[in-house]
Amino acid sequence: KAYAYNRYFDKPDLALQSYLEVVKLNPDSEVYNNIALLYEIHLKDYQKALEFYTKEIELHPSDALAYRNRDFLLNLRIQLFI
């Protein structure tokens, strides 16, 4: 449902709400990376994005995509402040 809201209906706010509901029901779910992407790309809340990437990595240390996305975000933030 969250994926469809974001991908097909361009409703990132509804996608975020849906993903956060998933986390409430299953805190170990693998949606933290998706939540972080919504915060980063659509809401421009980089601090929240960083928190959710880090949470994904803590829960699923083999998730290479979360590491890559967090690294990209950190490099972007460094470039913005140079």
Side-chain angles (χ1 to χ4, degrees):
K1 182 169 139 179
Y3 179 80
Y5 281 139
N6 188 42
R7 177 82 174 175
Y8 300 111
F9 302 114
D10 194 29
K11 302 278 186 191
D13 53 330
L14 293 176
L16 179 60
Q17 183 180 13
S18 184
Y19 279 130
L20 291 173
E21 289 175 18
V22 169
V23 168
K24 282 183 186 178
L25 296 172
N26 182 6
D28 292 333
S29 63
E30 296 185 20
V31 297
Y32 292 94
N33 189 59
N34 295 348
I35 294 170
L37 285 168
L38 287 169
Y39 274 115
E40 179 183 356
I41 295 168
H42 296 286
L43 302 173
K44 307 297 186 214
D45 187 338
Y46 302 120
Q47 184 58 42
K48 281 292 226 185
L50 184 60
E51 291 171 19
F52 279 96
Y53 287 134
T54 300
K55 183 70 173 176
E56 175 69 23
I57 290 166
E58 288 170 359
L59 291 174
H60 307 102
S62 62
D63 186 346
L65 187 58
Y67 284 99
R68 183 189 68 96
N69 289 342
R70 186 176 70 171
D71 183 55
F72 179 79
L73 175 61
L74 290 171
N75 284 325
L76 174 67
R77 290 180 70 188
I78 289 169
Q79 290 176 8
L80 289 175
F81 291 108
I82 293 179

